[in-house]
Amino acid sequence: MTTPSTTAGWEELVTSALLGTDRRGGVSAAAGRSRKDAAAALLDEAALHTVRRRAGLRPGPAAAPPGPAQPDPRPALPAAARRRLALLLSDRPGAGSGARRGNTPDLTELLPQWLAAANEHGYAAPPELLPALLDAARGRTDLRPPALGFAGPRALWLARLNPEWKFALRTTPGGSALPAPDDHEAVRQLWEEGLFAERVALLGAVRAHDAEAARILLESTWSTERAEDRLMFLDSLRTGLADADEPFLERALSDRSRNVRTTAAELLSALPASALAGRMARRAATSIALDALRTGITVEAPHECDPGMERDGVVATPPPGRGQRAWWLSQLVESAPLATWPQRLGGRSPAEIVALPVADDWQTELHAAWCRAAVRQRDAAWARALLGAPASPGAAGPGAVSLAERAKLLSTLPEGERAGWVAGFISAHGLSEAFQLLGVCAVPWSEPLGGAVVDALNIARDAGSYPWSFSGVMGLAERCLDPAAAARLESLTATPDEREDGAPGAGGYWAEAFQRLVGTLRLRAVMREELAGAV
């Protein structure tokens, strides 16, 4: 225990150190001692007193041990699947992206699929692998939803003990920072007292559980929120957006933040029955009409952006390179209900409207705005019309101005129809322009999409060169092709004879890529059997 004399001696040393050993008595007062010796003596004495002080401290009370984790009632993984998970979690990415990958499967890219399949089976995570699983999810945000769903309540217990795993508490219902959506008192308390990131996660969780309850929660503090926070909170209403949200969004059109007003207007335009959508329809209809012969479309873009348009989310100042009138027109058209146009343009179907010629070079602008409207309103009929036939000349299609917009249009179609359209596109145009389109197709790729990809790869291999743009396609095929395609690809793993007009070494690259593809597909098949308990 620290005694008064010990404490007094320590304070004396502190005073000497602050004032200087040549201005204070004590250790520096010894006759014949130099300033340097006095300073060294002071430090020696301080070291001695430090040991005395520590030796005299009473031990503090022991902290209460943490309580046990909540039980996880889900069944345990089959032994083979548990060993596979340990292997996937121990794998580390290899050299930089520019390095040659060889013919070895990339295990880090298989982990998301493994987790998704394990969650479908309803297995519990092995306790001994939870730290590695949480570390993997900490480094990859795309892994967090499936990893935390698989990890279960034990991961939350661990996350409370390790600050590096706090993300689990912020993003998982039941974590200390994110209560269950139906725990109204805890939700209200966290909403009023939590950190911004916790409140964003909370609002998203409540919105997914009860859309109306989330909107009411947001309205309760709306007027006191910062502009940048209001924008983030408002974005959560995209989930479960419905007509019941209109009154709140209509009030948000008068917000003092332009970004908030723009987002509110975008959400309202996705509700075709909203008052804003009606106002936009009337404005857009005055700019677009049939020509005198009723065989084409004429466009008269707005001449001004009035205050009413600005309140409804129209941005007055165009981005660099865009004309004002074209910019205003595009915003009106993309915000107007698509049902406006058959009524306005002679009762024609979407496909017939898209096929009409548009005067004065307005077609690209008009069709691009219709593309954005079709995606926003999730209108499959208009998406089909704007996509056109997959084998149509060129890659842009009749309505889309880029492959990225085509990918967005495809996302509005049912999965089977989407895969069939992309298969037709690949058959007509090859794989080099299809990468973005493949990314919106359901996994594993169903037929005829899988067959079209394999055929296109075979054709590219026979061409005698290895376009490095195909590396991304091959990586996508490893993750997305049905494992049953491995048997068909086996014949392509051999190194072909070098063609005289081919690129040197291309055959070796293709053989290596197909060996890796076949090996990965077979590994995915084994993983599936392991999770089913068949191995």
Side-chain angles (χ1 to χ4, degrees):
M1 182 175 180
T2 302
T3 63
S5 60
T6 303
T7 301
W10 178 258
E11 292 176 350
E12 178 72 17
L13 288 171
V14 171
T15 302
S16 296
L18 291 174
L19 295 178
T21 55
D22 57 344
R23 299 177 57 190
R24 182 75 175 176
V27 294
S28 63
R33 180 169 293 182
S34 68
R35 179 180 302 178
K36 182 176 180 180
D37 290 340
L42 174 66
L43 293 176
D44 289 341
E45 190 71 14
L48 179 61
H49 274 270
T50 298
V51 173
R52 290 173 179 167
R53 285 165 61 85
R54 288 178 177 173
L57 290 176
R58 291 181 182 274
Q70 294 181 10
D72 193 336
R74 296 175 298 177
L77 275 173
R82 185 172 63 252
R83 291 191 295 270
R84 179 70 60 189
L85 175 60
L87 182 62
L88 294 175
L89 289 172
S90 65
D91 189 66
R92 292 292 182 267
S97 58
R100 187 165 176 168
R101 291 181 54 196
N103 56 14
T104 304
D106 187 348
L107 299 186
T108 60
E109 292 303 319
L110 294 180
L111 183 56
Q113 286 193 16
W114 190 96
L115 289 170
N119 285 331
E120 289 177 3
H121 284 280
Y123 290 125
E128 70 276 11
L129 295 180
L130 285 175
L133 185 61
L134 286 169
D135 281 339
R138 179 170 63 92
R140 290 180 56 178
T141 55
D142 63 309
L143 282 180
R144 290 182 184 181
L148 295 176
F150 176 62
R154 290 171 178 153
L156 298 179
W157 185 87
L158 284 174
R160 296 186 185 102
L161 304 176
N162 187 344
E164 292 186 348
W165 298 333
K166 281 187 177 179
F167 68 88
L169 303 177
R170 293 194 297 266
T171 57
T172 305
S176 63
L178 193 60
D182 55 358
D183 188 347
H184 302 297
E185 183 59 33
V187 165
R188 170 66 62 179
Q189 182 176 357
L190 181 58
W191 179 249
E192 293 177 351
E193 302 175 5
L195 301 174
F196 172 70
E198 295 170 337
R199 299 177 74 214
V200 170
L202 174 68
L203 190 61
V206 175
R207 182 71 175 181
H209 176 75
D210 185 339
E212 183 176 2
R215 189 188 67 253
I216 293 173
L217 191 67
L218 178 56
E219 286 184 283
S220 68
T221 60
W222 180 257
S223 61
T224 62
E225 304 289 356
R226 300 183 305 167
E228 56 268 33
D229 294 352
R230 294 199 302 276
L231 182 62
M232 290 290 293
F233 293 145
L234 193 63
D235 201 61
S236 70
L237 299 188
R238 297 181 190 277
T239 301
L241 184 66
D243 291 336
D245 297 318
E246 181 183 0
F248 171 67
L249 292 173
E250 186 72 26
R251 291 193 297 273
L253 291 176
S254 301
D255 195 272
R256 56 187 178 274
S257 166
R258 187 185 73 176
N259 289 334
V260 171
R261 294 195 303 271
T262 300
T263 301
E266 180 187 343
L267 293 172
L268 283 168
S269 67
L271 299 172
S274 68
L276 178 136
R279 295 192 295 270
M280 290 298 199
R282 290 189 290 274
R283 292 173 180 132
T286 63
S287 297
I288 298 170
L290 289 173
D291 60 20
L293 298 177
R294 302 183 67 80
T295 58
I297 297 175
T298 62
V299 175
E300 180 65 28
H303 290 273
E304 65 173 344
C305 182
D306 59 45
M309 291 168 60
E310 290 197 63
R311 181 185 180 274
D312 284 345
V314 176
V315 179
T317 304
R322 292 289 300 275
Q324 276 189 331
R325 297 180 65 196
W327 173 241
W328 298 334
L329 175 73
S330 68
Q331 293 178 83
L332 296 181
V333 173
E334 71 184 57
S335 299
L338 289 164
T340 302
W341 306 115
Q343 301 172 12
R344 179 67 173 165
L345 302 175
R348 290 175 170 83
S349 68
E352 291 170 334
I353 291 173
V354 170
L356 288 174
V358 182
D360 301 325
D361 296 326
W362 281 103
Q363 178 167 313
T364 298
E365 194 76 51
L366 181 59
H367 284 194
W370 277 337
C371 283
R372 292 189 291 273
V375 173
R376 188 179 297 181
Q377 298 172 37
R378 312 300 297 173
D379 193 307
W382 273 89
R384 294 185 188 100
L386 292 161
L387 281 165
S392 59
V401 297
S402 69
L403 285 170
E405 285 191 334
R406 272 194 150 179
K408 293 177 183 178
L409 289 170
L410 282 169
S411 68
T412 68
L413 302 181
E415 289 182 358
E417 183 179 356
R418 196 184 312 168
W421 195 96
V422 177
F425 182 92
I426 292 172
S427 298
H429 303 288
L431 278 171
S432 59
E433 296 181 345
F435 187 80
Q436 293 183 73
L437 306 182
L438 288 168
V440 299
C441 295
V443 177
W445 293 332
S446 60
E447 293 298 334
L449 178 57
V453 170
V454 172
D455 289 342
L457 289 172
N458 195 7
I459 292 171
R461 173 180 178 270
D462 291 342
S465 62
Y466 186 82
W468 285 106
S469 60
F470 272 47
S471 298
V473 176
M474 293 296 287
L476 199 59
E478 292 170 22
R479 300 188 296 274
C480 302
L481 269 176
D482 192 311
R488 183 180 174 188
L489 290 163
E490 181 65 41
S491 61
L492 303 179
T493 59
T495 303
D497 295 332
E498 295 286 350
R499 294 178 42 168
E500 292 184 1
D501 58 345
Y509 277 109
W510 276 114
E512 192 176 80
F514 278 115
Q515 290 166 11
R516 184 174 61 249
L517 175 56
V518 170
T520 302
L521 294 178
R522 287 179 172 162
L523 177 56
R524 286 174 51 207
V526 172
M527 286 166 46
R528 184 189 307 178
E529 294 173 356
E530 291 170 346
L531 285 165
V535 176

